[in-house]
Amino acid sequence: MEKDEIHLRRLPAAAPWGPHADSEFHGVDFLPEDLSEASEETGMRVNKKYSCLPAEEKGIHIINIRAIEDIGYDQHESTLLNSLSKNPDADCKYGLYFRDGKRKVDYILVYHYKKSSAGKTLARRAQQNDASVRSTKQDQPLPGKGVQLEMGDSELHMDYHEDDKRFRREEYEGNLVEAGLELERDEDTKIHGIGFVKIHAPWNVLCREAEFLKLKMPTKKMYQINQTHGFLKKINSVIQKITEPIQPKVAEHKPQTVKRLSYPFSREKQHLFDLSDKDSFFDSKTRSTIVYEILKRTTCTKAKYSMGITSLLANGVYSAAYPLHDGDYEGENVEPNDRKLLCEEWASYGVFYKYQPIDLVRKYFGEKIGLYFAWLGVYTQMLIPASIVGIIVFLYGCATVDENIPSMEMCDQRNNITMCPLCDKTCSYWKMSSACATARASHLFDNPATVFFSVFMALWAATFMEHWKRKQMRLNYRWDLTGFEEEEEAVKDHPRAEYEAKVLEKSLRKEHKHKETDKEKLTWKDRFPAYLTNFVGIIFMVGLTFAIVFGVIIYRISTAAALAISSTPSGRSSVRVTVTATAVIINLVVIIILDEVYGCIARWLTQIEVPKTDKNFEERLIFKAFLLKFVNAYTPIFYVAFFKGRFVGRPGDYVYIFHSFRMEECAPGGCLMELCIQLSIIMLGKQLIQNNLFEIGIPKMKKFIRYLKLKRRRSPDHEEHMKKKQRYEVDYNLEPFAGLTPEYMEMIIQFGFVTLFVASFPLAPLFALLNNIIEIRLDAKKFVTELRRPVAVRAKDIGIWYNILRGIGKLAVIINAFVISFTSDFIPRLVYLYMYSENGTMHGFVNHTLSSFNVSDFQAGTAPNDPLDLGYEVQICRYKDYREPPWSENKYDISKDFWAVLAARLAFVIVFQNLVMFMSEFVDWIIPDIPKDISQQIHKEKVLMVEVFMREEQGKLQMLGTWKDKDKRKGENCNNHSPRLSRSHSGSLSSCHSYPLDV
């Protein structure tokens, strides 16, 4: 007898592997020790399809060792498996396919397991032809490597939790097979203690789920896309030629003149779709989405309640679940794939000047991630004109600084204006000319062009939102998402694992008390403790932010008092800049630390609320995280813009904190320069440290740590070992995808810096543009090379982020109006120019804004210790305020000039806000949300689809009529036949009624 015949002698005729496996097979956990009994009940399961193993990984545990012993077949393991194996890894493509080399891996489930030492001992004895091998039990119901072998009663005893997880996995995987999926397990991997379950969705399952999910798929029908004519066509061709060098070299990015008509997939209407190549009809992104929907829907119920994939992941039954990347992205012999193409044309810093291949990004990662990068690209493009205008405004300030009369007066040594002390006792009187540098710098950002730039940026924000809506509609049309609302209603979100666990806990409590088993759900009473915790927690976090800002204020005050003791005039003149810069750096460090803390706290607060669906969870998390991070990032800036110098008091009656610290004052040139320093350092610091260094450094550090651990654990041939890793093992070592919330949050906070306080920092759009050019490629590189491939999620917009952007845009108008009106000196200058100027110029403006104080009116113990520091005795000192002079009847009272300026400021806020709001609404109204050509194309698609179905119905009616005519003619022919028919005509007679009348 041939060896192969002996080896396969007791196998059942049809091993229940693969797509046609009987679902009952997965209920069999162990093989009986008696081989004859085993052949009758289950049989030894050897699948010749799964023989594609590397030479060094071939193991005897593919088949039952007791069976070999009973047959009396003692052959070395390599000889035993030679009949099963061919070219190792030739068809598997290192894990992208099942071991038959035909079925593609669509999804991976990963789990931890404890491998007993008995299995290793048994395998070693079998290799040595040891005849004393005891009977073993097969523990894996799935085809593939990884059967655990156990010996002795002591080895059979395993941890209860591990057994429970294994039983849940077996039931869940059996249910997946019943749902139509095909599975294959692999435990004999390079990663110790990690098992993988490979999942493949066959054609019939893909069709069924695509119909259920109402996925729009391209039909055979193609139509011409409306092209522009005349002058617009010439302009488009010129633009296309100019931009050709910056277009990515991908097929998906080329302009299309024809488009396939798309229709929700239907198994009854398969003839409408182009099924010439079934392997590529559903791409890898769509296949993984379909499998993930099945994983979420499928449950195991061994413990009284159902557990879907989210619950199984949360409870540690599986440690990870993810789709595979298309292949490697670097190397000389790497086969071409979408991942490699994305890495070359998108995720590389060398192509920073090119457009993004958004269609390819969507094809690989799905619509939700595609929309994020499309939005980021539109935002970055829109920053280009804003940056140009900002640079022009800044250059205008530089060009006119020498012509600015107020700063010239402050720098004029001949004015001899003596200012009151900035602090009690230790600070002395000082000359206004010592603040010359600050005054000149303030003009760079506080000039008439600033008002124009604020109006421009408000309109820019409105235009950006409208431009994005139009771009979004174009993408919806191109990606066949125009009817997505109905599809969204058809497929409801599945409950989250935490919600199901909470409902189970509630129902078990209720069942224990009242013996009721009705379906439970969480009410507001169940969530009230969580709501209360959320409210208290958010209030506490906001209070903590305010407390930290207050602490920094104390630092500024005390440091300014200490530095003011310096005897050198240059030291005194730089006190304000030094204090501001160091305080901002402290603020930056605190903001970066609290950002990470608040992100974790926001997630925890959302988790204890136990939202029902992932969509609810994401929206609540975004709201909390944005609220906390908004307060954290902008509180120090709001303080400088609107509170610093407002509650100082006056000489002789200052406002004190803790009875010893005087409140800060603004510089003679106003607080706008300090606001500019504060904004620029925080914005640039966050972008440089948090957005770039953290995103680059942390993944690199984690990767290096993993490499060191592997190097310590592996043998000297580690490099050779690493080369032969399967695709799912390589992807398992990547970082899991954590969602788009952190990516959006970075850009939304940056959008706030660009729009909210742009009146104080016209260069903000420029720095945002430079950051985003790097950010796009950085995020792209992270998605392509550092993260596991995320599950593709359908979406037709950016969700709640659009509403946040609109809110920030409207808030920016109000804040910029107040910044111009109350923080800068723009309004006081206008009031002086048109009400108080004697010659219609700004000469005398500085003197007009300063009030006088008699030094004899100082409170006891607050006068300078060295009153002769300037070399002469001071009788009257000046301070920035609108108050009556000491020789007036109502000395030091607020003067009428103050009320005139305040009225002008409030009037400016009202006029500016309403004017800009009106202009923004006008822009919103004049620019349609849906481009005209897109609306025409959508209408054309609907008409064509109606024509297709009408033609199909007409074809059916014609066919039905033809069949009826044929049947009628055959009936007439049969009636005309003679009753005496020869045997040769019996066939014709029998065919008289071959066509049914009711087709």
Side-chain angles (χ1 to χ4, degrees):
M1 186 177 289
E2 295 296 330
K3 292 179 180 178
D4 287 350
E5 291 177 0
I6 296 173
H7 172 55
L8 300 175
R9 178 178 178 181
R10 293 186 182 268
L11 293 177
W17 289 138
H20 308 292
D22 185 6
S23 61
E24 293 179 0
F25 157 71
H26 290 273
V28 181
D29 290 337
F30 303 102
L31 288 177
E33 295 184 7
D34 187 357
L35 182 63
S36 60
E37 186 180 344
S39 63
E40 293 175 3
E41 294 183 7
T42 59
M44 284 184 357
R45 293 172 171 83
V46 179
N47 190 353
K48 63 183 179 181
K49 292 181 179 180
Y50 310 118
S51 58
C52 183
L53 298 176
E56 72 277 355
E57 292 183 8
K58 298 171 185 173
I60 56 172
H61 53 272
I62 289 184
I63 61 175
N64 191 297
I65 298 180
R66 177 59 185 270
I68 303 173
E69 180 182 322
D70 287 351
I71 294 173
Y73 179 61
D74 292 334
Q75 181 177 349
H76 195 268
E77 65 156 328
S78 60
T79 310
L80 171 67
L81 293 177
N82 277 339
S83 60
L84 298 179
S85 63
K86 44 183 179 178
N87 185 13
D89 286 325
D91 297 326
C92 301
K93 295 186 181 178
Y94 293 103
L96 286 173
Y97 290 82
F98 277 23
R99 293 192 189 94
D100 58 2
K102 298 177 181 178
R103 292 174 290 173
K104 190 171 183 180
V105 178
D106 297 320
Y107 219 86
I108 290 291
L109 299 179
V110 188
Y111 60 91
H112 292 272
Y113 69 93
K114 291 184 179 180
K115 207 165 188 178
S116 62
S117 58
K120 300 176 184 177
T121 306
L122 186 57
R124 186 168 58 252
R125 290 181 181 179
Q127 292 177 8
Q128 297 171 355
N129 300 322
D130 190 350
S132 62
V133 177
R134 298 186 181 181
S135 62
T136 59
K137 294 184 178 181
Q138 183 175 358
D139 188 35
Q140 305 295 342
L142 297 181
K145 303 179 285 183
V147 177
Q148 293 184 1
L149 305 174
E150 302 174 5
M151 291 181 59
D153 296 335
S154 61
E155 298 292 345
L156 289 173
H157 179 71
M158 294 180 68
D159 184 66
Y160 167 77
H161 295 291
E162 292 299 322
D163 284 340
D164 181 63
K165 290 178 182 179
R166 178 166 55 87
F167 293 148
R168 290 186 191 280
R169 285 197 296 269
E170 289 174 2
E171 185 198 359
Y172 183 70
E173 291 159 8
N175 292 339
L176 291 178
V177 173
E178 289 181 2
L181 298 178
E182 298 173 10
L183 312 182
E184 183 179 86
R185 175 174 287 136
D186 185 5
E187 286 185 358
D188 198 9
T189 62
K190 311 294 187 302
I191 308 175
H192 179 69
I194 300 292
F196 297 89
V197 177
K198 294 171 276 186
I199 302 177
H200 169 77
W203 173 256
N204 61 327
V205 173
L206 293 172
C207 293
R208 181 191 73 205
E209 296 298 321
E211 183 175 357
F212 173 69
L213 296 173
K214 296 185 178 180
L215 295 179
K216 276 191 174 182
M217 304 302 295
T219 63
K220 296 177 183 177
K221 176 70 175 177
M222 300 183 71
Y223 67 95
Q224 194 81 16
I225 296 177
N226 294 337
Q227 301 293 318
T228 55
H229 301 285
F231 183 66
L232 288 176
K233 185 177 181 180
K234 292 181 180 179
I235 293 178
N236 288 338
S237 62
V238 170
I239 293 175
Q240 190 173 345
K241 289 180 181 178
I242 294 174
T243 59
E244 188 174 355
I246 60 175
Q247 300 288 349
K249 297 178 181 178
V250 296
E252 286 78 2
H253 201 79
K254 294 179 181 178
Q256 297 179 348
T257 57
V258 294
K259 186 178 185 293
R260 284 189 180 272
L261 195 63
S262 295
Y263 185 74
F265 187 82
S266 171
R267 287 174 288 181
E268 295 180 355
K269 301 183 183 299
Q270 287 193 35
H271 57 279
L272 295 177
F273 302 93
D274 183 13
L275 302 180
S276 57
D277 186 5
K278 290 186 177 181
D279 292 336
S280 61
F281 183 73
F282 295 106
D283 57 15
S284 59
K285 177 257 301 182
T286 306
R287 296 174 70 98
S288 64
T289 302
I290 288 174
V291 173
Y292 183 64
E293 288 296 325
I294 299 176
L295 291 176
K296 288 197 296 184
R297 192 172 68 239
T298 306
T299 59
C300 66
T301 56
K302 277 194 173 179
K304 282 188 71 178
Y305 68 101
S306 62
M307 294 182 71
I309 186 61
T310 53
S311 300
L312 294 172
L313 287 168
N315 286 274
V317 178
Y318 291 101
S319 58
Y322 52 88
L324 291 180
H325 280 291
D326 278 357
D328 291 324
Y329 59 89
E330 57 184 358
E332 297 180 358
N333 300 322
V334 175
E335 294 185 6
N337 58 71
D338 287 342
R339 188 188 187 194
K340 180 174 170 48
L341 187 59
L342 282 172
C343 188
E344 293 172 351
E345 294 295 326
W346 182 51
S348 172
Y349 295 110
V351 294
F352 72 92
Y353 58 92
K354 289 187 177 182
Y355 286 101
Q356 299 182 84
I358 292 298
D359 292 323
L360 184 60
V361 174
R362 173 254 179 177
K363 177 186 174 185
Y364 193 79
F365 291 110
E367 287 79 7
K368 192 171 185 178
I369 293 176
L371 282 172
Y372 163 71
F373 281 103
W375 173 83
L376 183 56
V378 170
Y379 171 48
T380 304
Q381 290 175 15
M382 288 294 293
L383 283 172
I384 295 175
S387 302
I388 294 172
V389 176
I391 292 173
I392 293 173
V393 170
F394 178 74
L395 292 178
Y396 170 81
C398 295
T400 58
V401 66
D402 291 330
E403 301 173 5
N404 183 40
I405 296 175
S407 60
M408 291 170 60
E409 287 184 346
M410 290 182 64
C411 295
D412 192 355
Q413 299 281 352
R414 297 171 296 177
N415 280 343
N416 197 27
I417 298 177
T418 304
M419 304 297 294
C420 295
L422 295 174
C423 62
D424 294 340
K425 293 184 180 181
T426 55
C427 298
S428 185
Y429 306 104
W430 56 285
K431 293 279 190 180
M432 173 170 275
S433 57
S434 63
C436 175
T438 306
R440 290 174 63 85
S442 295
H443 179 73
L444 301 178
F445 306 100
D446 186 7
N447 55 68
T450 303
V451 181
F452 160 76
F453 190 56
S454 299
V455 176
F456 171 81
M457 287 304 295
L459 297 179
W460 172 88
T463 308
F464 163 59
M465 302 305 295
E466 292 304 312
H467 178 45
W468 166 243
K469 280 197 290 187
R470 291 170 63 85
K471 176 70 173 179
Q472 193 170 253
M473 280 305 303
R474 291 189 181 276
L475 293 176
N476 285 340
Y477 163 72
R478 213 157 70 201
W479 297 348
D480 299 318
L481 294 169
T482 48
F484 185 63
E485 291 88 355
E486 294 82 4
E487 300 168 21
E488 214 169 19
E489 291 297 322
V491 184
K492 299 293 184 181
D493 284 337
H494 298 275
R496 299 179 68 252
E498 291 81 359
Y499 180 84
E500 290 180 335
K502 202 77 174 177
V503 169
L504 170 69
E505 183 184 339
K506 180 181 178 181
S507 34
L508 290 178
R509 261 197 328 265
K510 195 170 182 181
E511 181 182 351
H512 177 71
K513 292 181 179 179
H514 305 290
K515 305 296 182 183
E516 295 179 4
T517 58
D518 295 338
K519 181 69 177 177
E520 293 291 338
K521 62 180 181 179
L522 298 184
T523 62
W524 70 269
K525 293 181 181 179
D526 300 318
R527 291 193 172 101
F528 180 75
Y531 290 152
L532 183 62
T533 305
N534 270 260
F535 177 76
V536 174
I538 291 175
I539 294 298
F540 176 76
M541 292 299 114
V542 172
L544 177 64
T545 303
F546 290 162
I548 292 174
V549 171
F550 184 73
V552 175
I553 293 172
I554 300 298
Y555 162 80
R556 293 163 67 111
I557 295 171
S558 57
T559 306
L563 292 177
I565 304 175
S566 173
S567 57
T568 59
S570 59
R572 293 177 184 176
S573 62
S574 61
V575 166
R576 195 177 298 276
V577 176
T578 304
V579 171
T580 301
T582 55
V584 171
I585 292 173
I586 294 173
N587 271 326
L588 173 63
V589 174
V590 171
I591 286 172
I592 291 175
I593 294 173
L594 287 184
D595 252 1
E596 304 301 321
V597 174
Y598 286 169
C600 298
I601 290 175
R603 179 168 292 276
W604 175 74
L605 290 175
T606 309
Q607 286 173 347
I608 64 175
E609 279 188 68
V610 198
K612 184 175 182 179
T613 63
D614 287 330
K615 184 178 180 181
N616 291 340
F617 181 88
E618 185 180 22
E619 288 181 350
R620 296 185 185 195
L621 173 61
I622 288 171
F623 174 75
K624 294 181 184 66
F626 174 73
L627 177 62
L628 292 176
K629 293 191 175 186
F630 182 90
V631 172
N632 181 43
Y634 298 121
T635 300
I637 302 173
F638 269 97
Y639 163 73
V640 175
F642 303 121
F643 296 98
K644 184 178 180 181
R646 309 295 170 192
F647 311 101
V648 178
R650 60 171 180 81
D653 189 21
Y654 284 115
V655 177
Y656 289 91
I657 303 175
F658 305 134
H659 304 286
S660 56
F661 295 105
R662 263 172 51 183
M663 290 295 291
E664 291 184 282
E665 297 181 44
C666 286
C671 276
L672 201 67
M673 184 59 195
E674 294 184 43
L675 177 61
C676 174
I677 296 173
Q678 186 101 8
L679 180 63
S680 59
I681 292 180
I682 291 178
M683 178 183 175
L684 297 178
K686 272 181 65 68
Q687 290 184 168
L688 181 64
I689 299 173
Q690 197 171 24
N691 298 4
N692 293 332
L693 290 183
F694 281 9
E695 288 192 23
I696 296 174
I698 291 178
K700 294 288 184 186
M701 185 174 64
K702 289 182 178 178
K703 194 173 182 180
F704 182 68
I705 292 172
R706 284 198 301 268
Y707 172 77
L708 292 179
K709 288 181 179 179
L710 287 172
K711 190 175 182 180
R712 193 182 306 115
R713 195 163 51 191
R714 300 296 184 191
S715 54
D717 60 342
H718 170 62
E719 294 300 326
E720 181 68 17
H721 201 77
M722 290 291 290
K723 289 179 183 177
K724 296 185 178 181
K725 268 193 173 183
Q726 303 291 319
R727 177 81 261 151
Y728 44 87
E729 296 177 76
V730 176
D731 285 3
Y732 177 72
N733 287 326
L734 299 176
E735 289 293 313
F737 175 64
L740 288 171
T741 301
E743 313 299 334
Y744 271 115
M745 193 67 71
E746 291 176 13
M747 293 298 106
I748 296 297
I749 296 297
Q750 183 201 81
F751 183 78
F753 283 124
V754 169
T755 55
L756 291 179
F757 298 95
V758 73
S760 64
F761 190 38
L763 296 180
L766 174 64
F767 289 111
L769 173 64
L770 297 176
N771 173 80
N772 287 5
I773 291 173
I774 301 172
E775 182 75 21
I776 290 175
R777 308 303 164 180
L778 180 64
D779 285 346
K781 195 173 185 66
K782 181 171 66 174
F783 273 82
V784 173
T785 65
E786 302 287 344
L787 297 179
R788 294 176 192 160
R789 187 174 182 177
V791 179
V793 179
R794 287 185 298 169
K796 67 177 299 180
D797 52 41
I798 60 175
I800 192 175
W801 297 109
Y802 181 81
N803 296 329
I804 293 176
L805 284 169
R806 284 189 68 89
I808 291 177
K810 294 186 180 300
L811 182 63
V813 176
I814 302 172
I815 290 179
N816 278 299
F818 276 95
V819 167
I820 295 170
S821 182
F822 286 90
T823 309
S824 75
D825 280 342
F826 178 75
I827 299 301
R829 289 174 185 173
L830 284 181
V831 171
Y832 177 80
L833 186 64
Y834 293 106
M835 290 183 63
Y836 300 103
S837 177
E838 296 178 358
N839 52 7
T841 64
M842 292 301 297
H843 288 288
F845 170 74
V846 174
N847 187 61
H848 177 76
T849 59
L850 297 177
S851 298
S852 301
F853 176 74
N854 193 327
V855 297
S856 61
D857 293 330
F858 271 123
Q859 291 180 346
T862 61
N865 294 332
D866 186 9
L868 300 176
D869 185 60
L870 295 178
Y872 56 87
E873 185 178 357
V874 177
Q875 299 293 333
I876 300 293
C877 65
R878 310 295 296 275
Y879 61 99
K880 190 175 177 64
D881 204 349
Y882 291 101
R883 291 183 178 272
E884 296 289 343
W887 50 83
S888 173
E889 293 182 1
N890 303 314
K891 65 177 183 178
Y892 308 134
D893 285 350
I894 295 175
S895 65
K896 62 178 182 179
D897 299 341
F898 171 84
W899 300 111
V901 171
L902 179 62
R905 281 174 166 165
L906 294 175
F908 176 83
V909 169
I910 295 171
V911 172
F912 182 90
Q913 177 183 336
N914 286 279
L915 177 64
V916 175
M917 287 288 190
F918 170 77
M919 295 173 70
S920 299
E921 293 297 326
F922 180 74
V923 170
D924 194 356
W925 173 76
I926 202 173
I927 301 176
D929 294 347
I930 304 177
K932 186 178 180 181
D933 59 326
I934 296 299
S935 61
Q936 291 175 350
Q937 297 289 76
I938 293 173
H939 178 71
K940 185 177 181 179
E941 275 197 354
K942 291 180 180 179
V943 173
L944 288 174
M945 187 56 67
V946 172
E947 290 179 1
V948 169
F949 283 113
M950 290 296 293
R951 195 176 298 117
E952 185 182 2
E953 290 299 319
Q954 290 174 0
K956 286 181 180 179
L957 290 174
Q958 291 176 0
M959 186 179 296
L960 183 62
T962 304
W963 284 353
K964 285 183 177 180
D965 291 342
K966 285 183 179 180
D967 187 73
K968 187 177 180 181
R969 286 196 298 270
K970 285 184 178 291
E972 292 175 354
N973 292 336
C974 290
N975 292 333
N976 293 333
H977 274 298
S978 173
R980 295 179 180 180
L981 293 173
S982 63
R983 287 180 179 272
S984 62
H985 294 94
S986 61
S988 301
L989 185 62
S990 63
S991 63
C992 286
H993 301 287
S994 59
Y995 293 99
L997 295 176
D998 53 344
V999 178

